[in-house]
């Protein structure tokens, strides 16, 4: 008998791989006018929209009844002012979806040369991501480009997809086109997919041949005090980095933090490139989105780690599109996690004095 979620895993890997092919090629061709600024002032590119169209196409064909909580929607593209971007996005999505089938892919998922979609179909496919989430049932959550600012800088970003069932993340897949395959060889080949299924472990696959190259099992290693360091955001507006510095000081950490955009940080944690993921709110009232943590959280847990908010409570993926009131995120191996929580709470006490 097939393992639980075997088909979901296969479809999710295929979807994320195709989306990564698209985003990598978009980066090399991105021109002025292909980026919009959203209401929250964050950027979104033709890559984000077309990657969402690609992933949603596979999910819709393979699992027509599953709702999708996706970061992007097509409202701006339906407006007359969005006509040029719309045309480009439709072209990019169709080019990606109609490419020849690879090992592990099926035509019935909307793939291959005969599956060109109209502009109206592509926009509707993007808008399959407008589901609001909630506590019960099956749903996917998608961040077509997580770390758009990193993507625009040519640095780290990830295509992130997770399956949530009754508020619990059961499957997470993250494609990281710019992440070195081996952290021991940072200037070596790049491109990895990270996959976790609840109860089945965490694995790294090659982005170029995820269905044929052997998966690499991932376990968070036991760190020595000298090796322990923090994985944190590049963007000061996304996480309170000065707070992280104080936590590192309390913990006696000497190794400098690793700054990286996107959920590639969770991937790095799962394979031991850094020991502690710490993301504390900057006080702007921003609520964390479920697509920014769902796949990373199951990857960390399946790699043997623990992920909670700064109060030590589990993240709640059943509240809707966000994680609710923002108490930050702390993820690490089991042993350091308890120490980090204590240090975070100490630093919070100092701040409130
Ligand atoms: N004000 C904010 N505070 C925290 N996170 C934010 C904020 N604005 C955008 N983000 C999201 O933070 C994530 C990037 O995190 P990091 O800083 O760790 O790379 C992205 O999901 C980004 O969205 P996006 O998916 O649009 O890039
Ligand atoms: Mg965004
Ligand atoms: Mg994101
Ligand atoms: Mg995004």
């Amino acid at each position: 008998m097939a393992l639980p979620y075997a088909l979901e895993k296969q479809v999710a890997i295929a979807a994320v791989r195709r989306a990564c092919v698209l985003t990598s090629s978009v980066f090399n061709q991105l021109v002025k006018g292909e980026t919009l600024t959203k209401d929250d002032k964050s950027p979104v590119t033709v890559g984000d929209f077309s990657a969402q169209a690609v992933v949603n196409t596979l999910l819709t064909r393979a699992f027509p009844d599953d709702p999708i909580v996706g970061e992007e929607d097509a409202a701006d593209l339906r407006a007359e002012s969005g006509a040029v971007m719309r045309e480009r996005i439709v072209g990019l999505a169709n080019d990606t979806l109609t490419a020849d089938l690879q090992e592990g892919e099926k035509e019935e998922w909307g793939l291959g040369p005969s599956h060109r979609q109209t502009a109206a179909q592509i926009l509707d496919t993007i808008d399959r991501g407008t589901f609001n989430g909630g506590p019960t049932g099956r749903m996917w959550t998608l961040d077509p480009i997580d770390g758009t600012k990193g993507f625009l800088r040519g640095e780290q970003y990830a295509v992130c997809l997770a399956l949530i069932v009754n508020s619990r993340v059961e499957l997470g897949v993250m494609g990281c086109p710019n992440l070195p395959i081996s952290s021991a060889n940072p200037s070596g080949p790049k491109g990895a997919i990270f996959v976790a299924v609840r109860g089945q472990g965490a694995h790294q696959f090659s982005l170029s041949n995820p269905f044929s190259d052997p998966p690499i099992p991932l376990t968070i290693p036991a760190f020595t005090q000298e090796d322990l360091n923090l994985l944190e955001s590049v963007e000061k507006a996304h996480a309170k980095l000065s707070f992280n510095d104080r936590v590192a000081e309390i913990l006696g950490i000497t190794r400098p933090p690793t700054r990286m955009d996107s959920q590639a940080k969770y991937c790095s944690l799962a394979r031991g490139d850094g020991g502690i993921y710490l993301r504390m709110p900057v006080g702007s009232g921003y609520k964390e989105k479920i697509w920014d943590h769902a796949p990373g959280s199951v990857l960390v847990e399946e790699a043997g780690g623990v992920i909670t908010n700064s109060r030590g409570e589990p993240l709640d993926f059943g509240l809707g599109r966000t994680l609710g009131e923002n108490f930050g995120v702390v993820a690490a191996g089991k042993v350091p996690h308890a120490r980090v929580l204590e240090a975070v709470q100490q630093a919070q006490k100092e701040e409130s004095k």
Side-chain angles (χ1 to χ4, degrees):
M1 223 183 72
L3 287 168
Y5 301 115
L7 179 63
E8 287 83 352
K9 175 175 147 183
Q10 190 182 351
V11 173
I13 293 174
V16 167
R17 188 199 67 81
R18 285 239 175 188
C20 287
V21 171
L22 184 154
T23 55
S24 304
S25 87
V26 167
F27 177 74
N28 293 314
Q29 310 159 18
L30 206 63
V31 297
K32 219 169 156 241
E34 292 191 338
T35 303
L36 290 176
T37 304
K38 297 205 279 191
D39 292 343
D40 66 358
K41 305 277 186 289
S42 67
V44 59
T45 73
V46 291
D48 303 57
F49 290 114
S50 44
Q52 179 153 324
V54 167
V55 174
N56 283 4
T57 294
L58 277 84
L59 294 180
T60 303
R61 298 293 181 108
F63 308 106
D65 297 330
D66 286 356
I68 304 168
V69 182
E71 181 182 359
E72 311 303 345
D73 69 71
D76 289 343
L77 306 175
R78 293 181 193 276
E80 196 40 49
S81 57
V84 175
M85 256 183 123
R86 177 170 68 226
E87 200 177 320
R88 174 93 167 107
I89 288 157
V90 170
L92 284 166
N94 271 325
D95 288 351
T96 307
L97 290 163
T98 56
D100 287 339
L101 293 186
Q102 270 215 346
E103 193 179 338
E105 295 181 335
K106 296 217 169 82
E107 198 185 345
E108 68 212 50
W109 301 340
L111 301 175
S114 66
H115 288 273
R116 192 160 286 277
Q117 296 179 47
T118 64
Q121 286 171 325
I122 294 281
L123 297 188
D124 287 348
T125 304
I126 292 172
D127 277 338
R128 282 271 288 121
T130 52
F131 186 63
N132 271 330
T136 53
R138 250 173 82 108
M139 65 192 76
W140 295 87
T141 189
L142 168 67
D143 191 336
I145 295 185
D146 178 35
T148 306
K149 289 178 182 165
F151 170 71
L152 288 167
R153 280 189 249 102
E155 295 173 12
Q156 292 310 318
Y157 70 96
V159 176
C160 297
L161 179 62
L163 176 69
I164 299 172
V165 183
N166 297 332
S167 303
R168 195 165 83 145
V169 186
E170 296 290 347
L171 162 70
V173 176
M174 288 173 282
C176 304
N178 292 343
L179 200 67
I181 289 174
S182 164
S183 43
N185 185 10
S187 52
K190 295 184 167 67
I193 294 195
F194 295 81
V195 180
V197 183
R198 175 104 27 220
Q200 297 175 32
H203 293 89
Q204 177 178 325
F205 296 72
S206 86
L207 192 49
S208 43
N209 293 301
F211 295 111
S212 45
D213 290 352
I216 304 164
L218 305 177
T219 313
I220 299 178
F223 281 90
T224 62
Q225 179 68 21
E226 293 72 47
D227 286 342
L228 200 62
N229 83 334
L230 268 82
L231 287 156
E232 60 188 28
S233 183
V234 175
E235 297 291 334
K236 284 193 204 64
H238 294 180
K240 199 170 177 187
L241 302 179
S242 57
F243 186 90
N244 282 18
D245 292 344
R246 178 60 191 138
V247 170
E249 195 175 34
I250 294 169
L251 289 168
I253 288 174
T254 48
R255 207 183 133 196
T258 303
R259 291 193 173 154
M260 191 186 284
D261 298 282
S262 84
Q263 286 179 78
K265 286 188 280 297
Y266 285 125
C267 304
S268 300
L269 176 66
R271 69 180 190 185
D273 297 351
I276 299 163
Y277 173 108
L278 183 57
R279 182 184 191 84
M280 294 301 286
V282 289
S284 61
Y286 180 84
K287 287 184 173 167
E288 293 290 338
K289 308 298 192 297
I290 60 170
W291 53 80
D292 283 326
H293 300 280
S297 70
V298 67
L299 186 81
V300 166
E301 289 177 338
E302 286 301 314
V306 178
I307 175 165
T308 65
N309 65 19
S310 64
R311 301 170 150 198
E313 301 156 345
L315 304 185
D316 189 344
F317 292 98
L319 295 175
R321 290 172 72 86
T322 78
L323 292 173
E325 199 179 339
N326 193 348
F327 298 113
V329 182
V330 180
K334 277 204 180 72
V335 175
H337 186 273
R339 283 180 60 213
V340 179
L341 270 189
E342 272 178 40
V344 164
Q345 286 157 13
Q346 182 183 326
Q348 282 172 327
K349 268 194 209 125
E350 291 171 4
E351 267 192 344
S352 64
K353 266 183 197 155

